[in-house]
């Protein structure tokens, strides 16, 4: 491995160059040094790299060896039993038996589980960091086995797709001996690296082993990205190579001329043994290669090693910055990429996710709408406003008193206690240094358990119900629900809507139920243990349940046979491929479980008293008047959800006593207040995906015995799936009112979801099931077929209601975004939420400002989209040209350098459908031109693929440095495409973190990571690189100038050992310390003045001119270092090496003191290293001169340094040389600091002031920048004041987000007012309005459908909307300027 690493390092340009020199020096005709000396630089560099990589490889080897030798139970066909086998010996086709808490050794299909329902719970923290349990199911047909599967009797054939790294997909099928096929999916696959939980024993057959497992295919090793600076260094090294060639050509030509002039003198042209002399041309050719060997130091071979060491030092400082530590999660920054730290200082674009990145990803249930009526949950809103997560028991009790004072009812007293108890436990656990952890499972060999469950903080789990809705909910009983299905009155219809709404919240999810005192144990209602057996009727019901289980042991029907059977028979046989249908006997038992309650009793008129006690009797009546069975209370339930939205909805349903009790592969049990415990037969789950943007569950309702589809999803897709053919007046009213509520929720910054249902007959379900079975058993195009199947099912839905969930902003997000924008960084927000929600969050986090002019780009066709973007560009360019002259009078201080129009601030909002058009090749350029003129871009309803394409587009087309930040799996592709990917270690697992280059716990940490460490890393590294080029050119030129005095013979006036070690040892450590510790401006100043970031962003420290100025300075210093000693010892009898010794010494002092001049902050470490380098040089030369008398046969360096140490002229020479060489550089820095100080020098002086003086200076600096901003705002508002037509007054909405109020609210559809005066503003040089009108029909024909977001019936050129509160409507309109919502019809007038 070390050898392979060395070969990999030889791919670098400089290393290849030195390998070429080693080989070249072995040619006798061009040999310049001893062969061993030439090999020294390359061997030294490769040795250091090999040692570093060897240590890493050894630690990796030990870890691999430990993992490969882990033991697992594998079935041996020779011994007819399971034996212990190492992981490395597990092969495809082996049967593996695992117990609880064991790690899965290979990817295997689950064939047996000790769980009665055929479930295996796994923890995927080893793959994606998610600690919540995931369900995996035994392959259909094997789930109902009474005993463990016998490998000897397994005769089926498994066919699956080729190994791939897609963790979320698995396609295949099991073919039995009778050619019947059963589909395989990811729900049947146990992945390597996961841990078995809550299951005593599982058996699976291995389908992928070793390096073919999905976990190994995803572990491609450390991802390597080349930084922008490294690419630039490679380019500059090529310039050095060109310079080297020129110098060698000069030497070759000079040597040829020398030989021609002295051709008759044998001393200069020694004949060959045959008496012939070497021709001058051939001698010049040989000398060219000799000069390359002699001047090889011009190429800085040690630069790459120094860069690696400096980067490690910079990463160490970043990781140990205490400001990145997040106490709440006990996490700090992770630097996963070690070679791109300097790119942090050059970021131009930031692409950010919204949920979990800008927000906390703590979903809090705020509002809901059911049957067109809104329930505001005001008491819950008051609790959230005053809610704070306490860190001590005193604060917890104070919060309880506050919460209980709001309501004096018995229910609220219990709810307050439920809020406080988790907080108290949390406080105690934090004091003990641990998180709230579940109790470990007993027994030896218990595996590691996760101590934290996501989406379970009290602010997320505790919901105060709306009093009005709670009253309606408490009146629901068995009789009232049945009447609501039969009757059509408004009251009965509302009862049905409320019931189905909360049932959908409780069961339309994949939430796992567990109990706290037995951690990670699912809450399961066994078919044999749901109630005490006290009568023959109970025994009869028990056998009826067992008969359902026997159903799965029947032969598997083929597709051909099923096509000729009746629908009911087909459904009954085919149901085992997914979930079992209820038999009539079981349905009757279930119906009896839901018999009417005694609604007159006080117990049924109120909500049950204890929240932590749930009724789980499945075969008995819940009323005491009907049944005498005593209910034993069960512990409080914990819900483990895959997303925070699911958890929020389940907890909201639980607050209304619609409690999710258990979930198995074939049933879901819900305790629904007055209806008692309802067990739904779970037929199918259609999971959420980014294309459908919805999720559905298909169940058989226990009361109606009908197949019901419950669906939840985004309103942008759900509204199109509702019934349209035979809509009743009431349904239309519900749809309209619900849409109004959704728009209001979005304006408040809430995440919205629509809830709907559909009732199917058995015949309809059987027909759909037939198509779905074919899609499931297909390997080719399975995703497409399943999508079509889901689309076929999710149509003609009945809208039940909608929910509004709040996701609060993270701490410090607005300040961070403001600082980053002042630093000249453009920020794009890419989110899947709807437009109104995204825009309001953008205002709340100050991504958009009230002064910004917002353009909403939304169109249904590519041509119309192009026209709209052209109109926006014309308008922006027109206003930019109008403001060009006023801006010039504002001064030269720029707060945020940007490419947008001067004096103009615009924002662009675009949705996912329009993104499909603008990402087309024909529209990419105009889209990028438009975004460059906007200070912020908000992309809403964007898919993960669109996010990555946007990042790639900006990176490649604009050649800009990009940073992508996200927290979930949907952000992985975007993170990997960007120059720098940052993962937020939030609540949605660790997929984003594992794919990222840097991982932080909060978005606000980006501020210091970029503005401080990014600036430092880039500035330090560029200065160090320039210094390396300087010192190498300086030293090499000493040898070059000497060639003019030795006939260009390739002779050196310095011993070869000193020549090689000068750059490799004597002057290598100081620049490394310089690159790690130099600090031009303190962190405090960089944080307070983000404008300084533009210095590194624009590569001011490493411009092409800077490199050539540095090289010219190196040439000058080399001339001084050579010719001052030359004229000092002119006409003396000093020998060659004695002449070279003062030159070397003067060059050493010049190069090291040059570094001191360039250092911005000299510490004791710098002093120690420089003094140590000087001492090292003198010690080596003294020792070398005393011991190596005849080391070099061509010269004798014996006692040279010792003689010079006693000569005063020697000291005078190198001191005078050093002063003369450094004088221009020193004077330049002095003049630059006094007469022409840069922003960085001005900022550095602030560190020397007193605290009060520093504050005043910073305030003055910021005021200069704000003058420019205010001037731009005034010009903008004055220009657009004539364009505002009317103001739509809306209800003032305060506290849209708790962290930051939204200063500007998005407009409702009813509040828009047409303003035709805007025609004059947007159509600057267009021919006429009629010309545009003539194109309207043409473009509308190109569009397949009209814009769904058109706000008025008639077509206007623009709808101008400025929304404000009642108190300051007009002033805010003037301040906001003109916010244009340009839609498809806007450009067609």
């Amino acid at each position: 491995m070390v050898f392979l690493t060395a070969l990999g390092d030889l791919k670098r340009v400089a290393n290849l160059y030195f390998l070429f020199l080693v080989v070249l020096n072995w040619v006798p005709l061009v040999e310049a040094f001893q062969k061993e000396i030439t090999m020294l630089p390359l061997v030294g560099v490769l040795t250091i790299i090999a040692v570093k990589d060897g240590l890493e490889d050894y630690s990796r080897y030990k870890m691999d060896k430990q993992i490969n030798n882990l033991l697992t139970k594998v079935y041996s066909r020779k011994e007819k039993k399971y034996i212990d086998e190492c992981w490395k010996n597990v092969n495809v086709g082996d049967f593996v038996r695992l117990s609880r808490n064991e790690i899965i050794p290979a990817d295997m299909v689950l064939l047996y589980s000790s769980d009665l329902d055929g479930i295996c719970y796994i923890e995927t923290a080893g793959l994606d960091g998610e600690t919540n349990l995931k369900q995996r199911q035994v392959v259909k047909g094997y789930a109902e086995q009474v005993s463990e599967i016998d490998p000897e009797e397994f005769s089926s054939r498994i066919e699956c797709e080729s190994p791939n790294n897609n963790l979320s997909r698995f396609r295949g099928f099991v073919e039995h001996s009778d050619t019947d096929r059963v589909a395989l999916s990811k729900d049947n696959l146990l992945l390597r690296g996961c841990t078995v939980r809550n299951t005593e024993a599982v058996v699976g057959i291995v389908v992928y082993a070793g390096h073919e497992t999905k976990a190994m295919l995803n572990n491609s090793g450390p991802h390597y990205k080349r930084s922008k600076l490294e690419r630039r260094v490679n380019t500059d090294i090529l310039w050095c190579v060109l310079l080297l060639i020129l110098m060698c050509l000069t030497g070759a030509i000079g040597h040829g001329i020398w030989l021609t002039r002295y051709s008759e003198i044998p001393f200069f042209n020694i004949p060959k043994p045959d008496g012939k002399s070497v021709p001058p041309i051939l001698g010049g050719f040989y000398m060219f290669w000799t000069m390359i060997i002699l001047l090889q130091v011009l190429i800085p071979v040690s630069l790459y090693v120094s860069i690696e060491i400096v980067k490690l030092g910079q990463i160490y400082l970043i990781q140990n910055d205490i400001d990145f530590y997040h106490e709440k999660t006990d996490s700090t920054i992770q630097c996963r990429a070690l070679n791109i730290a300097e790119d942090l200082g050059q970021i131009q674009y930031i692409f950010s996710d919204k949920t979990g990145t800008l927000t906390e990803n703590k979903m809090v249930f705020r509002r809901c709408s059911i049957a067109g009526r809104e329930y505001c949950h005001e008491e819950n809103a008051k609790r959230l406003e005053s809610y704070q997560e306490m860190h001590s028991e005193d604060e917890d009790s104070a919060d309880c008193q506050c919460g209980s004072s709001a309501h004096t009812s018995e229910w609220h007293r219990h709810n307050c206690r439920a809020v406080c108890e988790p907080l108290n436990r949390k406080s105690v656990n934090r004091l003990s240094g641990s998180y709230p952890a579940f109790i470990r499972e007993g027994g030896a060999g218990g595996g590691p358990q996760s101590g934290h469950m996501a989406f379970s903080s009290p602010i997320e789990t505790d919901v105060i119900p709306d009093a009005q809705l709670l009253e309606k909910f408490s009146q629901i009983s068995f009789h009232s629900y049945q009447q609501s299905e039969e009757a059509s009155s408004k009251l009965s219809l509302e009862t049905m809507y409320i019931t189905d709404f909360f049932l959908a919240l409780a069961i339309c999810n994949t939430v796992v139920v567990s109990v706290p005192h037995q951690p990670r144990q699912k809450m399961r209602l066994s078919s044999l243990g749901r109630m005490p057996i006290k009568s023959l009727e109970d025994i009869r019901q028990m056998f009826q349940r067992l008969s359902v289980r026997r159903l799965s042991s029947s032969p598997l029907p083929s597709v051909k046979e099923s096509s000729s059977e009746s629908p009911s028979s087909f459904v009954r046989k085919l149901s085992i491929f997914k979930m079992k249908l209820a038999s009539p006997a079981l349905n009757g038992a279930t119906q009896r479980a839901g018999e009417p309650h005694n609604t007159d009793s006080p117990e049924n008129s109120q909500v049950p008293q204890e929240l932590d006690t749930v009724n789980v009797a499945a075969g008995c009546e819940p009323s005491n008047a009907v049944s005498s069975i005593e209910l034993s209370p069960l512990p409080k339930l914990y819900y483990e959800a895959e997303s925070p939205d699911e958890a929020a909805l389940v907890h909201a349903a639980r607050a209304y006593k619609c409690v999710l009790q258990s979930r198995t592969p074939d049933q879901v049990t819900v305790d629904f207040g007055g209806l008692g415990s309802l067990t739904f037969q779970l037929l199918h789950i259609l999971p959420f995906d980014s294309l459908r943007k919805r999720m559905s569950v298909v169940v058989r309702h226990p009361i109606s015995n009908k197949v019901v589809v419950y669906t939840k999803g985004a309103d942008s897709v759900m509204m199109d799936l509702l019934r349209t053919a035979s809509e009743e007046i009431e349904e239309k009213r519900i749809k309209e009112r619900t849409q109004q509520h959704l728009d209001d929720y979005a304006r408040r910054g809430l995440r919205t979801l629509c809830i709907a249902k559909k009732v199917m007959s058995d015949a309809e379900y059987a027909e759909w099931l037939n198509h779905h079975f074919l899609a499931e058993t297909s390997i080719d195009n399975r995703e497409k077929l399943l999508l079509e199947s889901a689309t076929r099912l999710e149509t003609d839905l009945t809208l039940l209601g909608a929910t509004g969930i709040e996701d609060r902003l993270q701490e410090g997000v607005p300040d961070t975004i403001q600082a980053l924008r002042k630093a000249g960084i453009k920020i794009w927000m890419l989110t899947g939420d709807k437009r109104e929600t995204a825009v309001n969050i953008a205002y709340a986090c100050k991504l958009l400002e009230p002064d910004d002019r917002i353009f909403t780009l939304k169109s249904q066709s590519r041509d119309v989209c192009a026209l709209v973007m052209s109109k926006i560009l014309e308008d922006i360019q027109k206003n930019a040209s109008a403001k060009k002259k006023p801006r010039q009078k504002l001064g030269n201080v720029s707060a945020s350098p940007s490419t947008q129009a001067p004096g103009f601030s615009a924002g662009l909002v675009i949705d996912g459908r329009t993104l499909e058009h603008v990402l087309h090749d024909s529209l990419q350029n105009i889209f990028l031109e438009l975004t460059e003129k906007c200070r912020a871009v908000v992309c809403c309803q964007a898919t993960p693929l669109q996010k990555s394409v946007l990042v790639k587009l900006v990176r490649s087309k604009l050649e800009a440095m990009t940073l992508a930040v996200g927290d979930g799996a949907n952000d992985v592709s975007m993170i990997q495409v960007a120059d720098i990917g940052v993962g937020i270690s939030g609540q949605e697992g660790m997929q984003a973190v594992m794919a990222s280059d840097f991982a932080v716990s909060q978005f606000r940490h980006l501020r210091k990571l970029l503005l401080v460490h990014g600036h430092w890393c880039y500035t330090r590294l560029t200065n160090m690189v320039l210094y390396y080029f300087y010192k190498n050119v300086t030293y090499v030129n000493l040898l070059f100038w000497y060639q003019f005095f030795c006939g260009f013979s390739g002779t050196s006036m310095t011993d070869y050992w000193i020549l090689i070690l000068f750059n490799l040892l004597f002057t290598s450590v100081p620049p490394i310390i310089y690159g790690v510790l130099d600090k031009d401006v303190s962190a405090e100043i960089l944080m307070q003045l983000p404008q300084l970031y533009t210095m590194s962003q624009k590569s001011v420290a490493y411009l092409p001119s800077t490199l050539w100025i540095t090289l010219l300075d190196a040439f000058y210093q080399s001339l001084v270092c050579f010719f001052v000693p030359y004229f000092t010892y002119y006409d003396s009898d000093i020998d060659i090496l004695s002449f070279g010794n003062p030159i070397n010494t003067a060059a050493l002092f010049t190069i090291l003191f040059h570094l001191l001049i360039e250092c911005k902050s000299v510490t004791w470490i710098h002093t120690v290293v420089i003094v140590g380098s000087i001492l090292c040089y003198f010690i080596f030369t003294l020792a070398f001169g005393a011991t190596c008398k005849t080391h070099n046969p061509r010269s004798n360096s014996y006692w040279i340094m010792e003689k010079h140490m006693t000569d005063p002229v020697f000291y005078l020479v190198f001191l005078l040389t050093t002063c003369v060489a450094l004088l221009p550089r020193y004077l330049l820095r002095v003049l630059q600091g006094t007469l022409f100080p840069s922003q960085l020098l001005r900022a550095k002086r602030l560190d020397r002031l007193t605290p009060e003086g520093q504050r005043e200076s910073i305030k003055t600096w910021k005021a200069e920048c704000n003058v420019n901003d205010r001037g731009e705002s005034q010009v903008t508002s004055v220009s657009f004041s004539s364009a505002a037509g009317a103001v739509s007054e809306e209800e003032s909405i305060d506290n849209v987000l708790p962290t930051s109020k939204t200063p500007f609210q998005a407009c409702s559809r009813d509040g828009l007012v047409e303003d035709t005066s805007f025609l004059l503003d947007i159509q600057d040089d267009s021919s006429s309005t009629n010309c545009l009108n003539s194109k309207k029909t043409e473009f509308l024909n190109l569009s397949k459908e009209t814009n769904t977001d058109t706000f008025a019936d008639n077509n206007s050129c623009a709808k101008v909307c400025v929304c404000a509160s009642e108190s300051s409507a007009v002033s805010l309109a003037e301040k906001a300027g003109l916010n244009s919502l340009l839609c498809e019809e806007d450009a067609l007038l």
Side-chain angles (χ1 to χ4, degrees), residues 211-367:
H211 291 280
E212 293 183 346
T213 58
K214 292 181 178 290
M216 294 293 290
L217 291 175
N218 275 277
N219 184 17
S220 57
H223 52 287
Y224 182 81
K225 289 184 179 180
R226 292 181 61 195
S227 67
K228 183 178 180 181
L229 180 62
E230 185 176 346
R231 296 192 296 268
R232 174 71 185 279
V233 168
N234 286 337
T235 303
D236 290 341
I237 285 181
L238 293 179
W239 283 110
C240 290
V241 171
L242 180 60
L243 180 61
L244 175 65
I245 293 175
L246 291 176
M247 296 171 68
C248 293
L249 282 175
T250 303
I253 295 172
H255 185 67
I257 295 174
W258 190 287
L259 291 180
T260 302
R261 179 175 300 180
Y262 300 100
S263 59
E264 298 178 357
I265 304 176
F267 180 80
F268 295 100
N269 193 358
I270 301 176
K272 294 181 180 180
D274 58 0
K276 296 182 180 180
S277 301
V278 177
I281 296 178
L282 184 60
F285 175 77
Y286 290 154
M287 185 53 59
F288 175 83
W289 298 108
T290 303
M291 291 289 290
I292 283 184
I293 300 174
L294 179 67
L295 305 179
Q296 60 177 292
V297 186
L298 182 64
I299 308 301
V301 64
S302 58
L303 174 61
Y304 286 107
V305 180
S306 301
I307 288 178
E308 297 289 341
I309 297 174
V310 167
K311 288 181 178 180
L312 289 176
Q314 292 175 347
I315 293 298
Y316 175 81
L317 295 178
I318 293 175
Q319 289 182 331
N320 287 272
D321 192 335
I322 193 64
D323 292 336
F324 291 131
Y325 176 72
H326 190 233
E327 183 179 3
K328 193 172 183 179
T329 58
D330 191 25
S331 60
T332 185
I333 189 172
Q334 301 177 35
C335 301
R336 302 174 57 84
L338 305 181
N339 56 327
I340 57 173
E342 65 274 17
D343 280 348
L344 292 170
Q346 294 194 284
I347 299 301
Q348 297 168 286
Y349 283 82
I350 291 180
F351 298 87
S352 174
D353 181 35
K354 182 184 75 67
T355 304
T357 304
L358 301 177
T359 61
E360 293 181 344
N361 204 19
K362 289 186 176 180
M363 304 301 175
V364 181
F365 186 84
R366 286 294 303 268
R367 293 176 174 234

Side-chain angles (χ1 to χ4, degrees), residues 409 454 474 588 607 744 836 851 1039 1073 1102 1309 1327:
S409 63
S474 62
V607 180
D744 179 61
E836 293 83 358
D851 295 333
L1039 303 175
I1073 301 300
Y1102 197 9
R1309 300 187 176 188
S1327 58

Side-chain angles (χ1 to χ4, degrees), residues 21 354 414 559 840 923 973 1096 1145 1262 1297 1329 1336 1349:
L21 292 181
K354 182 184 75 67
H414 287 295
V559 179
N840 277 274
L923 298 184
S973 57
S1096 61
T1145 307
K1262 291 182 178 180
L1297 289 174
T1329 304
K1336 175 180 178 180
D1349 198 37

Side-chain angles (χ1 to χ4, degrees), residues 1298-1335:
T1299 306
S1300 175
K1301 294 185 179 181
T1302 304
F1304 185 85
Q1305 299 297 330
C1307 304
S1308 67
R1309 300 187 176 188
D1310 299 332
L1312 294 176
V1313 180
E1314 297 181 12
D1315 182 12
T1316 56
S1317 65
F1318 183 63
L1319 278 168
L1320 302 176
D1321 223 83
I1322 196 171
Q1323 300 177 17
D1324 180 21
D1325 297 324
S1326 59
S1327 58
S1328 65
T1329 304
N1330 295 330
C1331 180
L1332 266 178
N1333 279 326
S1334 64
K1335 299 181 180 179

Side-chain angles (χ1 to χ4, degrees), residues 763-879:
E764 292 174 336
Y765 174 64
E767 181 182 358
W768 174 83
L769 189 61
N770 187 15
H771 293 286
H772 191 73
F773 170 74
L774 295 176
E776 279 187 329
T777 55
S778 174
I779 292 183
D780 298 329
N781 298 323
R782 175 186 284 192
E783 285 73 20
K784 181 180 178 181
L785 295 175
L786 288 176
L787 178 61
E788 294 175 355
S789 177
T791 305
R792 191 179 300 111
L793 178 71
E794 298 165 332
T795 55
D796 295 332
L797 301 176
T798 300
L799 181 63
L800 299 175
T803 61
I805 299 176
E806 178 186 271
D807 189 9
R808 298 185 167 194
L809 282 180
Q810 292 183 13
E811 178 186 357
V813 168
D815 295 337
T816 301
I817 289 181
Q818 273 196 332
L820 293 176
R821 292 179 65 169
K822 289 179 181 178
I825 300 175
K826 287 190 174 183
I827 303 177
W828 290 26
M829 184 172 75
L830 313 180
T831 177
D833 286 341
K834 62 183 303 183
R835 187 182 68 235
E836 293 83 358
T837 303
V839 169
N840 277 274
I841 293 295
Y843 275 115
C845 66
K846 297 185 179 179
L847 181 61
L848 297 177
E849 297 284 354
D851 295 333
D852 295 345
R853 182 178 178 186
I854 309 303
F855 295 95
T856 298
L857 183 60
K858 185 173 183 180
S859 63
Q860 301 295 331
S861 70
R862 189 182 307 162
D863 296 318
V864 173
C865 183
L867 182 60
V868 172
M869 287 192 293
S870 299
K871 286 299 173 184
I872 297 177
L873 277 173
E874 289 178 9
D875 182 47
I876 293 177
Q877 292 171 358
K878 170 190 172 183
N879 290 282

